[in-house]
Amino acid sequence: MAKVVTLEEFQAHTTRDSLYVLVHEKVYDVTKFIDEHPGGDEVILSEAGKDATDAFEDVGHSDEARELLPGMLVGELDKESLLKLSSPKPAPIPAVHDAVEKG
């Protein structure tokens, strides 16, 4: 049975020294891979503490990259945490001057 990772545990690993990323509801420890990442370390670090699935898929990672994932697997993010991460952020409230028509 896969380990269940809490949001608190997942978000405790957001630095270069200990970095977890979330891809397809699974938590991966990519700490040892940061320096080898072809896109540079900033790309991975920018996904720390959030769901990196879209970023991972948008880049179109190779089969070779996908084959590395099982060796970095920590576990699955618990369902409640998934909901918190995927909840849409509230839309910003427009400033009053944006609503005033220019005449």
Side-chain angles (χ1 to χ4, degrees):
M1 186 162 141
K3 175 183 174 168
V4 176
V5 179
T6 65
L7 183 61
E8 293 74 25
E9 181 182 358
F10 173 63
Q11 292 185 331
H13 298 271
T14 57
T15 68
R16 169 177 268 293
D17 296 327
S18 182
L19 183 63
Y20 286 5
V21 295
L22 180 69
V23 178
H24 295 293
E25 302 181 8
K26 292 184 175 23
V27 177
Y28 298 94
D29 181 348
V30 297
T31 309
K32 294 179 181 176
F33 187 69
I34 293 172
D35 292 330
E36 299 173 31
H37 188 259
D41 58 356
E42 324 72 49
V43 176
I44 295 179
L45 287 166
S46 70
E47 296 301 321
K50 56 187 180 182
D51 188 343
T53 302
D54 288 343
F56 183 85
E57 293 299 343
D58 287 350
V59 171
H61 280 87
S62 65
D63 289 341
E64 291 80 12
R66 293 172 190 278
E67 289 169 6
L68 294 173
L69 291 176
M72 296 185 250
L73 182 65
V74 175
E76 295 184 9
L77 194 65
D78 72 270
K79 299 300 179 194
E80 187 176 316
S81 296
L82 281 171
L83 291 173
K84 289 179 186 175
L85 282 179
S86 63
S87 294
K89 304 284 185 264
I93 299 170
V96 174
H97 63 48
D98 290 344
V100 176
E101 290 186 31
K102 295 180 181 170

